[in-house]
């Protein structure tokens, strides 16, 4: 609301959309916190002991976000990592069709869901661009990260935190479960210029290019004054790994490899929204050569290699990779 006041032309719609996402986050957080107690763990489609169909937590999160935004008239299309195609938002009256596009990863870090390790929700908001009225289209979703009007994540960790940017810095809110509200706990988060940590799944070492092996070796062992040796931390939940590095300084890498030449992570649901947050906090994010935010997507579920975090560390990786 403070930032909205800096824009006299603002209608409040974006703030309200962020509130809608906060509501979804609270519902998902409640479910994540009770995950071991309720029948939300396990395979989607499995029958639980009561003979009811179990709902997997990531499907629950997908539905919760979607239902929190689709009746508000604020969004024209949503796209989720859980769905193959974008979901156009139908409205009875064309004049009430929303002006925003919402892309989201409902529950990132799925391999950690069933083992009680931090997971997160990632969101990316664009203005509609390809269509003017009625439901939005695939083209509305395929915009460069640089065009985002807001992005952020909700981390279900030792506490539940919302971290977001609208292009005026990065702000963190912690959910106070006693009053059910997100309270501003981390205003104006800044990413340290040089990181303490490097985060990468080193089990893929043999599949990386020689250039990437040199980058990771330099972060591990140091490189004659150009970069100091770092400590390793890898949770395997992107949101949690990025959040730690954002707060403490560090670089996260998910490179392309011989088995996944485009990398693993999704440009629109993971890399671009997190890149916007990290850049706004003073860090950087590249695919090896280009800024993530400058990549024009051609597919909804497009993948990208990702190197993201403290600015000097990302620049170091980029310069080493440029040497081949
Ligand atoms: P997951 O496969 O558990 O859903 O995007 C997916 C993601 O997790 C990221 O959250 C995480 O950083 C990465 O993949 C982990 O991949 P590896 O298991 O290959 O390390």
């Amino acid at each position: 609301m403070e930032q909205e006041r800096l824009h006299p032309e603002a209608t409040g719609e974006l703030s309200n959309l962020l509130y809608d996402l906060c509501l979804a986050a609270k519902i998902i957080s409640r479910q994540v916190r009770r995950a071991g107690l309720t029948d939300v763990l396990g395979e989607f489609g499995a029958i639980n002991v009561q003979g009811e169909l179990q709902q997997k937590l990531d499907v629950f999160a997908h539905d919760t976000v979607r239902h929190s935004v689709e009746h508000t008239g604020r969004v024209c299309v949503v796209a989720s990592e859980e769905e193959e195609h974008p979901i156009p938002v139908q409205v009875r009256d064309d004049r009430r069709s929303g002006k925003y596009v919402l892309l989201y990863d409902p529950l990132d870090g799925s391999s950690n869901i069933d083992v009680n390790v931090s997971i997160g929700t990632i969101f990316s908001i664009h203005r509609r661009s390809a269509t003017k009225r009625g439901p939005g289209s695939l083209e509305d979703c395929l915009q460069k990260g640089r065009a985002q009007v807001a992005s952020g994540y909700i981390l279900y960790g030792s506490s539940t935190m919302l971290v977001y940017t609208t292009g005026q810095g990065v702000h963190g809110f912690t959910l106070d479960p006693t009053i059910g509200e997100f309270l501003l706990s981390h205003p104006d988060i800044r990413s340290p210029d040089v990181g303490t940590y490097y985060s990468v799944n080193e089990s893929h070492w043999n599949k990386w290019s020689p250039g990437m092996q040199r980058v990771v070796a330099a972060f591990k062992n140091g490189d004659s004054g150009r970069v100091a040796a770092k400590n390793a931390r890898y949770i395997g939940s992107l949101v949690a790994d990025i959040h730690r590095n954002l707060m403490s300084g560090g670089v996260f890498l998910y490179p392309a490899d011989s088995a996944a030449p485009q990398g693993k992570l999704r440009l629109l649901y993971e890399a671009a929204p997190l890149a916007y947050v990290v850049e706004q906090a003073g860090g950087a994010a590249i695919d090896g050569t280009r800024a993530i935010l400058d990549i024009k997507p051609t597919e909804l579920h497009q993948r990208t290699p990702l190197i993201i975090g403290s600015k000097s560390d990302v620049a170091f990786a980029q310069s080493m990779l440029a040497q081949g």
Side-chain angles (χ1 to χ4, degrees):
M1 286 166 83
E2 273 176 20
Q3 292 179 355
E4 191 188 305
R5 269 183 230 121
L6 303 174
H7 294 270
E9 75 286 359
T11 60
E13 250 179 279
L14 181 60
S15 307
N16 286 332
L17 176 51
L18 291 168
Y19 275 127
D20 300 336
L21 292 172
C22 284
L23 173 62
K26 290 179 205 172
I27 297 171
I28 297 167
S29 178
R30 182 202 57 192
Q31 206 73 351
V32 168
R33 300 288 171 219
R34 302 178 64 229
L37 300 172
T38 54
D39 289 326
V40 291
L41 297 181
E43 291 295 309
F44 181 57
I47 306 291
N48 68 13
V49 283
Q50 283 86 32
E52 297 157 346
L53 211 56
Q54 281 185 345
Q55 198 178 25
K56 215 177 156 192
L57 206 48
D58 40 13
V59 177
F60 175 85
H62 164 82
D63 289 342
T64 302
V65 173
R66 181 180 163 185
H67 294 153
S68 301
V69 300
E70 74 182 349
H71 301 292
T72 61
R74 294 190 253 279
V75 299
C76 60
V77 59
V78 298
S80 153
E81 210 201 50
E82 292 290 322
E83 285 273 339
E84 192 181 345
H85 301 293
I87 308 163
V89 176
Q90 305 294 340
V91 281
R92 276 201 215 104
D93 173 358
D94 256 11
R95 283 167 303 177
R96 286 211 63 245
S97 62
K99 64 178 177 189
Y100 291 111
V101 173
L102 174 68
L103 302 142
Y104 65 104
D105 181 355
L107 223 42
D108 175 69
S110 44
S111 63
N112 282 328
I113 295 177
D114 287 2
V115 291
N116 204 1
V117 174
S118 299
I119 45 181
T121 299
I122 308 172
F123 62 89
S124 162
I125 301 172
H126 285 271
R127 245 178 229 105
R128 74 189 302 163
S129 63
T131 53
K132 297 261 176 298
R133 329 182 107 215
S137 67
L138 172 64
E139 279 62 42
D140 289 308
C141 300
L142 298 180
Q143 300 189 47
K144 279 186 187 174
R146 200 65 75 194
Q148 288 171 105
V149 291
S151 77
Y153 56 83
I154 298 108
L155 171 64
Y156 312 102
S158 46
S159 60
T160 296
M161 260 192 96
L162 162 75
V163 176
Y164 85 100
T165 183
T166 54
Q168 296 169 77
V170 177
H171 308 286
F173 292 75
T174 303
L175 181 63
D176 182 338
T178 61
I179 58 168
E181 279 299 346
F182 282 101
L183 304 180
L184 181 61
S185 51
H186 297 71
D188 203 15
I189 296 171
R190 302 299 299 165
S191 163
D193 193 49
V194 179
T196 316
Y197 300 113
Y198 77 102
S199 315
V200 67
N201 185 340
E202 266 188 80
S203 68
H204 298 302
W205 175 277
N206 291 331
K207 293 182 269 166
W208 293 336
S209 67
M212 187 52 66
Q213 290 176 341
R214 279 195 295 275
V215 169
V216 175
F219 287 142
K220 181 166 30 186
N221 306 315
D223 180 13
S224 51
R226 292 204 296 163
V227 68
K230 299 183 188 301
N231 207 349
R233 287 282 186 282
Y234 190 73
I235 299 167
S237 276
L238 184 62
V239 171
D241 277 311
I242 300 254
H243 183 73
R244 182 204 48 246
N245 290 351
L246 188 64
M247 306 304 289
S248 311
V251 57
F252 173 95
L253 307 96
Y254 207 110
D257 62 40
S258 54
Q262 305 306 319
K264 175 182 184 186
L265 303 175
R266 314 283 179 150
L267 176 61
L268 289 172
Y269 311 109
E270 299 178 309
L274 294 171
Y276 192 29
V277 168
V278 169
E279 273 204 13
Q280 278 293 314
I286 58 170
D287 68 352
T289 55
R290 299 172 288 179
I292 290 287
L293 295 181
D294 290 331
I295 302 174
K296 172 82 176 94
T298 52
E299 285 169 40
L300 196 56
H301 295 279
Q302 188 168 329
R303 294 175 195 269
T304 179
L306 178 64
I307 303 174
I308 184 168
S310 294
K311 200 171 195 165
S312 297
D313 295 327
V314 174
F316 170 79
Q318 186 165 10
S319 70
M320 269 215 131
L321 290 171
Q323 291 164 20

